[in-house]
Amino acid sequence: MKAKYYKYILNFKKPSGTSRGVLKTKETWFIVLSSATKLGIGECGILRTLSIDDRPDYEEKLKWTCDNINLGIDKLWNELIEFPSIQFGVEMAFKSLDSDTPFLLFPSAFTKNKNHIPINGLIWMGDKSYMKAQISEKIDQGFNCIKMKIGAIDFDTELALLAYIRSHFSSEEIELRVDANGAFKPEEALDKLIQLSKYNLHSIEQPIRQGQSLAMAGLCKKTPLPIALDEELIGVFTITEKEKLLQTIQPQYIILKPSLVGGYRGTQEWIRIAEALGIGWWITSALESNIGLNAIAQFTYLLQNDMPQGLGTGSLFTNNFQSPLEVNNGNLMYDSKTEWIVDYLN
């Protein structure tokens, strides 16, 4: 078996705003395995400035991984503990190589187009008119769960946008989630959560920056609004550390991005611990190409979590790969009649 790696730059159709800045491109990497008769493809979906493996030696570690691919998936996963996006790429590539076709990793009713995955519609940060237009678009597209990124524009304007949605749709009609990406200061967070709770929100992701576990624990204890940990999970490697974090903070939910938490194995570790503590969870993509999104979606379907998942990112890029994944009426579907086109990796 041989392994190669490739870099690929995804271009956003529109600049996409978060509290950490505006995204115009997204870097990603692929590991391609080849045997005498088969091909396996895995995506290492690093998020610069956010992924714990955003390090100067990232490409060097990819090269080491390809040079040592014959160590096998278990030894590699342990060796790559500080590189969760490469862990996931390796898992994906081995699963792809072992499958009948490179992109059918977990055959199910989902991949047979007999069932779907409910997803949230994502509203990016921007000025009021842009965000309002996105909200209207997502509702017109049939989404009944909307996730709005907040924390970059005036807070009163953001509240006005939530009020606008609630003036037209009740919480039974539209589920609202907000994602602060750590934008609030600890001393102001509770007051802002109280104001946000007036709009019957499902939850808020990461109200304060990660690494402030005692402050976050205090918020989770007092909050009138369910809190979901997201960035807080990044860089927590061992089962003992994961248990300690969730036992300390006691969040209402955790959000799992396989590219940021060690792929399938890392995701399943978090789920087992969360469920033992009565903590809810859902899965979100991390701006991977359709190759990574496909691997996440097929895995997610098998977990049978009925909550809307965060898997609607495939249409964001101008140069994504053609795939069977499509969004229809607020659901991610797999049109098995659509062929994959991945010429770049041949």
Side-chain angles (χ1 to χ4, degrees):
M1 179 171 56
K2 296 180 180 179
K4 296 181 179 180
Y5 70 89
Y6 302 85
K7 184 179 182 179
Y8 191 69
I9 302 297
L10 293 157
N11 299 311
F12 280 85
K13 292 177 181 176
K14 296 179 181 178
S16 299
T18 76
S19 62
R20 296 172 181 268
V22 176
L23 303 174
K24 296 181 180 179
T25 60
K26 162 65 171 64
E27 166 192 344
T28 199
W29 299 76
F30 295 99
I31 291 176
V32 179
L33 308 183
S34 56
S35 64
T37 58
K38 299 181 74 176
L39 196 71
I41 301 175
E43 181 168 357
C44 305
I46 189 171
L47 273 175
R48 294 296 182 183
T49 76
L50 182 60
S51 298
I52 195 68
D53 45 9
D54 179 12
R55 296 167 34 165
D57 59 343
Y58 187 82
E59 186 173 356
E60 181 183 327
K61 200 66 177 182
L62 273 172
K63 183 180 185 304
W64 178 90
T65 301
C66 291
D67 290 343
N68 292 276
I69 201 68
N70 288 305
L71 287 174
I73 189 168
D74 290 330
K75 287 185 178 179
L76 284 171
W77 197 90
N78 289 320
E79 288 288 337
L80 294 165
I81 193 71
E82 294 183 4
F83 293 83
S85 66
I86 305 179
Q87 283 180 315
F88 188 31
V90 168
E91 282 184 324
M92 200 188 307
F94 272 93
K95 186 68 178 173
S96 173
L97 188 70
D98 290 342
S99 301
D100 291 336
T101 63
F103 303 110
L104 190 60
L105 307 186
F106 299 98
S108 67
F110 173 70
T111 58
K112 294 176 182 176
N113 201 18
K114 293 182 179 179
N115 211 339
H116 55 260
I117 302 171
I119 61 174
N120 60 244
L122 182 58
I123 307 300
W124 293 91
M125 291 176 177
D127 61 32
K128 184 177 180 179
S129 61
Y130 174 59
M131 294 181 75
K132 193 172 180 180
Q134 289 182 84
I135 291 165
S136 297
E137 179 184 45
K138 294 302 178 187
I139 291 171
D140 289 344
Q141 290 172 349
F143 285 91
N144 55 24
C145 177
I146 290 176
K147 171 182 167 180
M148 192 172 98
K149 287 187 173 289
I150 62 173
I153 62 175
D154 179 69
F155 185 62
D156 288 337
T157 300
E158 292 169 339
L159 293 178
L161 286 167
L162 294 170
Y164 165 75
I165 300 173
R166 279 289 170 255
S167 69
H168 292 81
F169 301 95
S170 69
S171 56
E172 287 74 29
E173 294 170 304
I174 297 290
E175 179 178 288
L176 279 177
R177 301 172 178 175
V178 294
D179 181 2
N181 286 125
F184 301 160
K185 296 176 181 177
E187 62 271 19
E188 67 182 12
L190 183 58
D191 178 62
K192 289 191 171 183
L193 294 181
I194 291 170
Q195 293 183 66
L196 287 166
S197 69
K198 297 173 184 177
Y199 301 101
N200 298 314
L201 305 185
H202 172 271
S203 56
I204 180 170
E205 297 180 29
Q206 204 69 42
I208 63 175
R209 282 197 178 274
Q210 69 268 36
Q212 304 176 87
S213 57
L214 293 181
M216 187 70 86
L219 272 182
C220 289
K221 190 173 183 179
K222 298 175 182 178
T223 182
L225 172 64
I227 290 174
L229 302 187
D230 183 359
E231 290 94 335
E232 202 77 51
L233 311 184
I234 297 171
V236 184
F237 299 126
T238 70
I239 291 177
T240 301
E241 290 172 329
K242 292 172 184 178
E243 289 175 338
K244 181 180 178 182
L245 179 77
L246 294 189
Q247 288 168 352
T248 298
I249 297 178
Q250 289 290 320
Q252 286 74 33
Y253 295 102
I254 60 172
I255 298 169
L256 298 158
K257 294 182 171 75
S259 292
L260 301 186
V261 300
Y264 300 133
R265 190 181 304 186
T267 297
Q268 288 171 317
E269 286 178 357
W270 279 112
I271 289 173
R272 283 195 294 269
I273 296 165
E275 290 184 340
L277 295 170
I279 296 168
W281 58 270
W282 68 88
I283 290 178
T284 302
S285 54
L287 302 177
E288 297 87 357
S289 78
N290 278 334
I291 292 173
L293 181 61
N294 172 66
I296 296 169
Q298 291 186 31
F299 168 72
T300 299
Y301 179 79
L302 296 184
L303 299 176
Q304 292 294 292
N305 183 328
D306 293 334
M307 297 175 65
Q309 308 294 301
L311 303 176
T313 55
S315 63
L316 295 175
F317 308 110
T318 61
N319 58 337
N320 210 339
F321 305 105
Q322 179 178 298
S323 81
L325 296 173
E326 61 179 38
V327 177
N328 186 13
N329 205 34
N331 296 297
L332 185 65
M333 309 182 79
Y334 193 93
D335 182 2
S336 51
K337 296 178 182 177
T338 301
E339 294 185 0
W340 282 89
I341 298 180
V342 192
D343 295 338
Y344 169 78
L345 297 175
N346 290 340

